[in-house]
Amino acid sequence: MSPQPFGQIPAYEDGDISLFESGAIVLHIAERHGSLLPTNEIARAKALSWIFAALNTVEPPIVEREYVKYLEAEKSWQTERFATVDKRIRT
């Protein structure tokens, strides 16, 4: 049985642990390897904030740009959509 209930990637298996969703996978790996997350409470909280920022703020417009690149190729509006998405990425 696939660890990804929606049949998508990412999926991660580590022994008896089956995970899906990037954030869960990154957090699991970071917690298992002491050098990836700070032990200081404040620094750890900041690092976790950046994990969530990457997933919820940074990643969505980048994924949208790939959508425009591949699924809207040769559409009359692709250039304008690239401009809109690129502006959102830079902001």
Side-chain angles (χ1 to χ4, degrees):
M1 178 178 191
S2 170
Q4 194 359 311
F6 309 115
Q8 301 169 329
I9 56 172
Y12 175 85
E13 294 186 66
D14 181 12
D16 292 337
I17 298 172
S18 294
L19 299 172
F20 63 99
E21 294 299 332
S22 301
I25 294 166
V26 168
L27 183 57
H28 172 74
I29 292 169
E31 286 182 333
R32 289 183 51 102
H33 302 282
S35 62
L36 296 177
L37 272 179
T39 55
N40 172 280
E41 183 179 3
I42 293 170
R44 181 182 172 88
K46 287 181 181 180
L48 291 173
S49 291
W50 279 107
I51 289 173
F52 285 93
L55 296 171
N56 296 313
T57 305
V58 177
E59 182 182 23
I62 293 171
V63 170
E64 184 179 3
R65 189 177 201 288
E66 292 301 297
Y67 179 89
V68 172
K69 181 177 180 179
Y70 294 108
L71 300 178
E72 295 182 0
E74 301 180 25
K75 301 288 184 186
S76 61
W77 61 81
Q78 186 186 40
T79 301
E80 290 81 14
R81 286 266 292 142
F82 268 134
T84 301
V85 173
D86 286 347
K87 182 178 178 183
R88 194 172 7 214
I89 290 170
R90 284 189 295 277
T91 315

